[in-house]
């Protein structure tokens, strides 16, 4: 028998320990259950969770290594490290000019149709030095981490050529191994039709299907394939063709679905067995039912509606009633939502989508883990899972939506190490 594992990091005197222990993913009434332990304690061994329970029990059982880090939470709230399951963080130039144009009355889609939007980020990505783009992305990861986010999904999609998409994915790979935040890579060559294919869009779909997807899958640069299936971008039929090729090459699926208008993309995502369908402000009742039935996670991005000045938030309550696996994310990107704060999304979810603190916490932990295929390693504090945890400057978890817009993560632990605060 191997010797019992020793504790390398102990957190004691946790006022409310949100373990998320229980079903994964969570739907309906299960979303009320956040696995709460009052007066909790946590012991980590290396990168893994070792003990979870009442503080005195954990302190009694834990065998500390010499030099063990001991954190006295002094009655604060502790949660699993948050998971942002939908981001576009790899870009250089920001687009504050477009934001100001929206403030002055232009719509996101009007700006895109005039050559701004995604295409302006594509011009930038193709011309910037790799190291400049990497360093700017790294700064965004620093901000995620400080705000209590320890795992993110990260998309390409501002290159729209094989070479440039591969550069973005390669930056994601490099940062995954050099930065404490774990990154799950998604190929999004189908984010927009690039300028050089504007009059021959079928040629771009061919390029995606015949060259880009096979090469990216072969180089193992991505786990997921995502398509912006939207009126004026990729049609349902084009999206189906692209995602069929992705599946044939072993990629799992995500969709940008029903973001600005209803297109039937949620239905397509469910039918194709996608891991998630994201945005969904204009999803139909049939789409909601299909997502629930096929266990395709519904990833809601209220920061996008907020930042584009939209009125319609995704119908979260209806989705919860119908049994959808609801997750929440920032959509962090230079156009429609430049924000790394997942806690702020919890506030928007409460006020605009009527989600409770418990529901939102499930949506940024267990259900977000499901939306990126990581439910067996992150999103819950259970023995054997990754030791990712955050100590928050709050005494009650319901402060999450209520105390908004300020950084409240005091200590962030990733893979058993204190990586921010302390
Ligand atoms: O999720 N919808 C498509 N993509 C992003 C916006 C990207 C951009 O404007 O650069 C989104 O909203
Ligand atoms: Fe997005």
């Amino acid at each position: 028998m191997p010797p019992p594992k020793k504790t390398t990091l102990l957190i004691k005197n946790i006022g409310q320990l949100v373990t998320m222990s229980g079903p994964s993913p969570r739907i309906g009434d299960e979303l009320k259950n956040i696995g709460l332990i009052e007066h909790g304690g946590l012991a980590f061994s290396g990168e893994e969770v070792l003990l979870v329970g009442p503080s005195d029990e954990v302190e009694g059982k834990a065998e500390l290594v010499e030099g063990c880090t001991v954190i006295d939470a002094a009655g604060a709230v502790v949660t699993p490290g948050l998971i942002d399951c939908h981001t576009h963080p790899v870009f250089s130039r920001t687009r504050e000019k477009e934001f100001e144009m929206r403030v002055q009355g232009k719509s996101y889609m009007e700006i895109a149709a005039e050559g701004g939007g995604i295409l302006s980020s594509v011009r930038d990505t193709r011309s910037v030095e790799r190291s400049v783009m990497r360093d700017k992305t790294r700064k965004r990861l620093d901000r995620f981490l400080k705000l209590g986010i320890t795992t993110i999904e990260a998309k390409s999609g501002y290159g729209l050529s094989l070479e440039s998409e591969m550069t973005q994915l390669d930056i994601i790979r490099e940062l995954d191994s050099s930065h404490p935040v774990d990154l799950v890579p998604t190929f999004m060559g189908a984010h927009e039709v690039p300028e050089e294919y504007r009059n021959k869009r079928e040629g771009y779909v061919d390029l995606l299907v015949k060259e880009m997807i096979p090469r990216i899958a072969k180089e193992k640069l991505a786990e997921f394939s995502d398509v912006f299936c939207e009126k004026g971008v990729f049609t349902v039929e084009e999206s189906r063709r692209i995602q069929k090729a992705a599946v044939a090459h072993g990629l799992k699926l995500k969709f940008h679905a029903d973001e600005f208008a209803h297109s039937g993309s949620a239905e397509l995502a469910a039918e194709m067995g996608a891991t998630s369908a994201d945005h969904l402000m204009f999803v139909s009742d049939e789409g909601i039912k299909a997502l629930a039935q096929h266990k395709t996670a519904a990833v809601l991005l209220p920061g996008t509606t907020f930042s584009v000045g939209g009125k319609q938030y995704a119908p979260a309550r209806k989705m919860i009633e119908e049994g959808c696996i609801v997750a929440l994310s920032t959509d962090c990107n230079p156009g429609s939502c430049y924000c790394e704060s997942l806690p702020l999304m919890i506030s928007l979810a409460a006020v605009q989508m009527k989600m409770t603190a418990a529901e939102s916490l499930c949506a940024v932990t267990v259900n977000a883990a499901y939306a990126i295929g990581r439910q067996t390693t992150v999103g819950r504090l259970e023995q054997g899972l990754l030791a990712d945890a955050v100590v928050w400057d709050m005494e009650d978890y319901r402060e999450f939506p209520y105390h908004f817009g300020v950084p409240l993560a005091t200590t962030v632990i990733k893979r058993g190490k204190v990586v921010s605060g302390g």
Side-chain angles (χ1 to χ4, degrees):
M1 263 225 323
K5 287 188 178 161
K6 291 209 171 167
T7 296
T8 49
L9 191 149
L10 178 83
I11 314 180
K12 60 182 188 180
N13 295 328
I14 300 168
Q16 291 188 336
L17 172 56
V18 176
T19 67
M20 285 296 157
S21 185
S24 167
R26 256 164 238 203
I27 58 167
D29 274 352
E30 293 166 356
L31 294 164
K32 292 179 180 153
N33 168 17
I34 55 171
L36 192 67
I37 300 176
E38 306 269 354
H39 311 295
L42 277 172
F44 298 153
S45 181
E47 294 201 344
E48 284 184 8
V49 178
L50 185 61
L51 301 167
V52 186
S55 191
D56 45 3
E57 258 178 44
V58 170
E59 286 175 69
K61 274 195 212 157
E63 254 192 78
L64 311 189
V65 293
E66 217 185 293
C68 173
T69 307
V70 178
I71 297 171
D72 185 346
V77 171
V78 171
T79 68
L82 306 188
I83 300 165
D84 196 337
C85 60
H86 178 140
T87 83
H88 309 247
V90 191
F91 58 90
S92 170
R93 204 174 54 76
T94 49
R95 296 181 359 225
E96 53 283 339
K97 242 196 232 159
E98 293 180 13
F99 181 83
E100 194 155 270
M101 284 162 81
R102 290 206 297 273
V103 170
Q104 291 167 336
K106 281 232 162 150
S107 75
Y108 176 86
M109 280 309 205
E110 278 165 355
I111 296 166
E114 288 166 12
I118 293 168
L119 290 180
S120 67
S121 287
V122 172
R123 289 189 285 276
D124 168 53
T125 301
R126 288 178 177 181
S127 57
V128 74
E129 281 279 327
R130 181 190 186 284
S131 61
V132 172
M133 188 154 65
R134 180 203 52 206
D135 292 349
K136 291 200 174 176
T137 308
R138 186 186 284 125
K139 274 191 161 180
R140 291 178 195 116
L141 298 186
D142 292 342
R143 284 194 284 269
F144 275 116
L145 199 66
K146 277 205 186 105
L147 291 160
I149 297 108
T150 50
T151 304
I152 67 166
E153 180 259 14
K155 303 175 199 293
S156 67
Y158 291 125
L160 310 189
S161 69
L162 179 60
E163 195 199 341
S164 197
E165 286 289 310
M166 283 179 70
T167 302
Q168 285 204 293
L169 290 167
D170 197 55
I171 288 174
I172 293 170
R173 178 187 275 179
E174 184 188 331
L175 291 173
D176 178 45
S177 56
S178 63
H179 194 280
V181 171
D182 283 333
L183 290 90
V184 175
T186 295
F187 170 60
M188 199 172 179
H191 201 184
E192 180 54 290
V193 178
E195 261 148 1
E196 64 276 19
Y197 281 94
R198 282 269 130 160
N199 300 316
K200 43 175 182 169
R201 46 185 300 121
E202 232 188 279
Y204 187 59
V205 178
D206 276 345
L207 181 72
L208 282 166
V209 166
K210 293 181 183 155
E211 281 182 45
M212 292 167 83
I213 288 170
R215 179 73 188 279
I216 276 147
K218 188 165 162 244
E219 307 267 344
K220 298 205 177 336
L221 276 168
E223 277 181 44
F224 289 93
S225 165
D226 196 343
V227 174
F228 191 6
C229 181
E230 186 80 28
K231 193 168 169 267
V233 195
F234 291 94
T235 65
V236 166
E237 276 326 305
E238 288 167 341
S239 303
R240 190 195 306 275
R241 194 176 153 219
I242 295 161
Q243 296 292 54
K244 259 192 183 168
V247 171
H249 289 277
L251 298 176
K252 293 178 281 182
L253 306 184
K254 290 183 164 285
F255 283 78
H256 276 62
D258 299 328
E259 181 176 352
F260 292 98
H262 175 252
S263 66
S265 36
E267 287 87 332
L268 176 67
E271 172 204 315
M272 296 193 80
T275 303
S276 75
D278 305 30
H279 284 292
L280 304 168
M281 287 80 132
F282 293 89
V283 68
S284 67
D285 289 351
E286 292 71 39
I288 293 176
K289 287 202 167 76
L291 294 176
Q293 192 191 339
H294 292 270
K295 297 193 161 42
T296 295
V299 177
L300 312 185
L301 310 157
T304 306
T305 307
F306 174 76
S307 179
V308 302
K311 292 201 170 42
Q312 188 145 339
Y313 285 81
R317 288 261 52 98
K318 214 183 237 180
M319 290 172 175
I320 291 170
E321 267 163 40
E322 292 291 342
C324 286
I325 299 161
V326 171
L328 271 176
S329 160
T330 61
D331 195 20
C332 180
N333 74 76
S336 64
C337 187
Y338 190 22
C339 181
E340 293 93 345
S341 179
L342 199 47
L344 181 58
M345 302 306 136
I346 296 176
S347 297
L348 290 175
V351 173
Q352 301 292 355
M353 305 196 296
K354 308 302 170 204
M355 286 176 68
T356 65
E359 287 168 339
S360 286
L361 280 170
C362 292
V364 296
T365 55
V366 270
N367 284 5
Y370 176 87
I372 54 170
R374 290 288 190 279
Q375 62 272 34
T376 58
T377 51
V378 289
R380 286 169 291 144
L381 290 165
E382 283 179 5
Q383 192 175 42
L385 269 68
L386 278 188
D388 296 356
V390 184
V391 184
W392 301 91
D393 185 10
M394 53 177 91
E395 287 168 23
D396 188 304
Y397 74 88
R398 286 168 298 184
E399 289 177 52
F400 265 105
Y402 163 65
H403 192 179
F404 67 96
V406 286
L408 293 170
T410 43
T411 306
V412 182
I413 296 147
K414 177 67 189 172
R415 292 179 179 263
K417 291 212 163 65
V418 175
V419 286
S420 175

